[in-house]
Amino acid sequence: MDYEAKFEEAIDSLRAEGRYRVFMDIARRAGEFPRARFYEGDNVQRDITVWCSNDYLGMGQNPDVIAAMETALHECGAGAGGTRNISGTNHYHVLLEQELADLHGKEAALLFTSGYISNEATLSTIGRILPGCILFSDELNHASMIEGVRHSGQTKRIFRHNDLVHLEELLQQADPDAPKVIAFESVYSMDGDIAPIEAICDLADKYNAITYLDEVHAVGLYGERGGGVAERDAVMDRVTIIEGTLAKAFGVMGGYITGTAKLIDVVRSYAPGFIFTTSLSPVLAAGALASIRHVKRTNDLRVRHQERAAALKQRFRDAGLPLMESESHIVPLWVGDATLCKQVSDELMEEFAIYVQPINYPTVPRGTERLRFTPGPYHTDEMMDALVDALNTVWERRKISRAA
C-alpha cells in the first residue's frame, strides 16, 4: 500500500469537486471587530471585514469578558489541570454550570469542551442507558447529533425536516412501551429556519417521549434573557434537555447540556466524551460566565442583532440578489455550485477585502452551495453597502443566476 498516494488521491477528489477547504489565516481586532487582519504569504497583511463569524453579538471582544478572563488567568493559571473527576473541577466550572441551569430554567447543567462533544456524548449515552430506546432525529440535524444517535447503537428514525406529520407517523409505528427521544434543533444554521418546538413537545407528550433540543444558534440571541427560541416561545419547561454552546453568541468556547439533576448526573457518570476529557480552562469558563451574565441583562444587543440581520436581508432583496429567505438571523445567498461558490468567495476577499466562507457539501447537500452571512451588532450600514456593491460586481462578472 502506498499510503501517501492514497492520501493524495483523497485530497485530489475534493479539489476536483471544488470543495477542498482552505483555512483563512486571520487575526480578529478586539474593539474593532468585524474588522480583522488577513495574513497572506510572506507575512503580508491586509485589513478585511468578516461576514461569516459565529461570534454573533461580538461578545468575544466585550470588555467584561476580557477582564474576567484576565483575572482568572492570574488567579488560576492557564489550564484546568485534569479531567473533571481528577483535579479538573475549578470553582469557575461550578459557577458557570449554575448560571447555565438558571438561563434555561433547569435543575442542573454540565459543561463540555465543545457543542459537538456535548451533542455526541449526551445522545449516545442516553440511548445506551435506556434499553430498547428509539431515537427520532430531524433529517437536517447537525453532524454531532447524527454521530450521537449513531453511537448510541439504538434504533433510529429520521423524520423529514420540521415535518410534524411525518414525525407522528414514525411515533405511531413505534412500540408504545419503548423509550423514545426526539432530537432536533431550534435554529437550523444553514437555512435559518426554526423548529416548531411547542408542537414537537405536544407529540412527545402524546407518545411518551423525551425531547432533546439543540439551541446552539439561538442561545444568547432569542428570549428575554437569551435563553433561546424555547424561552422566546415560553416552552423551556416542556423540553427535557436543552443543549447549547459557549462559542457563538457568548463568544468564548465550550458546550453544555441542561436538564434534571438525575439526567445530568447520568451523563456526567457514563459519557466517555465527558469522563476522559480534560476540562475547560478556568480562563474560558470565567469568560463564558461573564458573557452569559452580561447577555442576560442586555437585551439591546439582541434587538440590534435582529435589526442588522433584517437590514442586510432587505438590501439583498433590493439588489435582486438570490437571498434564501429565513425567519432567523441567518442570511444565506444561493449559488448552487461548489466551484463557483469558492470562486465568488475568493474574489470577494482578493478584490474587496470581504471574507465570507463558501458553504459546500457535506455541510449542505450538493447543488445547494451558498454564501452564509452572519451580520452582527457591529456591522455598519457602510459595511453593508460595500458588501452589496461587491456582490453585484461579482454576480454580473460571473453571470450568476439571481434566482434563489
Side-chain angles (χ1 to χ4, degrees):
M1 169 67 72
D2 185 341
Y3 295 101
E4 289 297 310
K6 295 302 291 184
F7 299 152
E8 183 177 7
E9 179 184 331
I11 294 300
D12 286 346
S13 69
L14 292 178
R15 294 186 190 277
E17 287 187 53
R19 60 186 186 93
Y20 177 73
R21 299 180 182 218
V22 176
F23 294 161
M24 291 296 179
D25 185 358
I26 68 173
R28 289 154 48 102
R29 289 160 54 175
E32 300 179 50
F33 194 74
R35 300 293 189 192
R37 287 184 297 275
F38 172 54
Y39 288 83
E40 299 176 279
D42 299 322
N43 205 34
V44 175
Q45 302 177 31
R46 279 198 295 141
D47 289 337
I48 63 169
T49 303
V50 178
W51 279 99
C52 54
S53 173
N54 284 336
D55 186 0
Y56 290 128
L57 299 179
M59 290 303 296
Q61 61 184 350
N62 181 274
D64 291 350
V65 173
I66 293 172
M69 296 178 78
E70 289 174 341
T71 297
L73 178 63
H74 293 292
E75 283 181 354
C76 305
T83 64
R84 288 291 297 273
N85 187 53
I86 304 176
S87 83
T89 294
N90 186 278
H91 189 54
Y92 282 112
H93 298 133
V94 176
L95 293 175
L96 179 53
E97 286 172 340
Q98 292 172 352
E99 198 73 34
L100 288 164
D102 173 78
L103 177 66
H104 294 292
K106 301 299 183 186
E107 292 178 356
L110 190 66
L111 286 171
F112 294 83
T113 51
S114 73
Y116 188 105
I117 297 298
S118 57
N119 274 335
E120 192 281 330
T122 303
L123 284 167
S124 62
T125 298
I126 290 172
R128 289 194 300 269
I129 289 293
L130 299 173
C133 182
I134 304 172
L135 294 104
F136 299 81
S137 179
D138 188 289
E139 66 177 341
L140 293 188
N141 277 344
H142 190 265
S144 57
M145 300 175 76
I146 294 170
E147 288 301 300
V149 170
R150 179 181 295 131
H151 291 161
S152 74
Q154 302 290 354
T155 300
K156 65 180 178 182
R157 296 287 182 265
I158 311 302
F159 60 93
R160 291 187 292 272
H161 179 52
N162 281 347
D163 189 331
L164 297 171
V165 173
H166 189 218
L167 173 58
E168 183 161 23
E169 287 175 359
L170 296 176
L171 288 164
Q172 288 173 336
Q173 295 166 10
D175 179 352
D177 295 325
K180 303 173 187 67
V181 179
I182 303 174
F184 60 107
E185 301 181 35
S186 57
V187 175
Y188 287 83
S189 64
M190 291 301 124
D191 292 336
D193 55 343
I194 295 177
I197 301 174
E198 183 175 18
I200 291 175
C201 288
D202 289 342
L203 290 177
D205 291 345
K206 183 176 179 180
Y207 293 95
N208 193 28
I210 64 174
T211 47
Y212 183 99
L213 174 62
D214 176 317
E215 287 258 41
V216 297
H217 289 277
V219 289
L221 307 178
Y222 297 86
E224 185 179 347
R225 300 193 306 158
V229 176
E231 184 191 23
R232 184 199 70 178
D233 295 350
V235 291
M236 282 199 301
D237 61 314
R238 299 190 61 193
V239 178
T240 313
I241 306 163
I242 296 179
E243 183 266 352
T245 183
L246 305 171
K248 293 182 171 59
F250 297 128
V252 190
M253 179 182 177
Y256 64 88
I257 59 168
T258 63
T260 65
K262 287 182 180 178
L263 184 147
I264 295 300
D265 200 14
V266 161
V267 177
R268 180 189 73 85
S269 301
Y270 281 89
F274 175 81
I275 295 170
F276 299 106
T277 298
T278 297
S279 56
L280 278 178
S281 163
V283 176
L284 295 172
L289 179 63
S291 181
I292 293 166
R293 288 173 173 171
H294 183 94
V295 168
K296 277 182 176 178
R297 66 176 185 265
T298 315
N299 197 50
D300 61 324
L301 271 178
R302 278 182 286 282
V303 172
R304 173 71 173 170
H305 179 249
Q306 291 293 324
E307 185 277 328
R308 292 286 79 191
L312 185 62
K313 289 178 183 179
Q314 191 57 52
R315 278 172 165 77
F316 284 174
R317 293 188 196 102
D318 293 344
L321 290 162
L323 172 69
M324 300 170 67
E325 294 288 352
S326 74
E327 54 186 318
S328 71
H329 57 280
I330 305 297
V331 186
L333 274 190
W334 177 273
V335 178
D337 176 87
T339 300
L340 183 58
C341 200
K342 179 66 167 63
Q343 289 170 344
V344 171
S345 173
D346 288 346
E347 290 179 20
L348 288 171
M349 176 68 94
E350 291 164 6
E351 295 182 38
F352 303 98
I354 288 171
Y355 174 36
V356 57
Q357 190 70 16
I359 305 296
N360 299 328
Y361 179 84
T363 307
V364 295
R366 288 184 175 89
T368 69
E369 293 81 5
R370 66 201 66 177
L371 301 175
R372 173 183 174 273
F373 297 86
T374 54
Y378 304 106
H379 284 100
T380 65
D381 287 344
E382 291 74 20
M383 291 177 183
M384 291 187 181
D385 292 340
L387 171 63
V388 170
D389 288 344
L391 286 167
N392 274 326
T393 297
V394 175
W395 243 251
E396 289 302 317
R397 177 192 302 151
R398 291 279 176 185
K399 302 189 185 314
I400 305 171
S401 171
R402 290 181 178 257

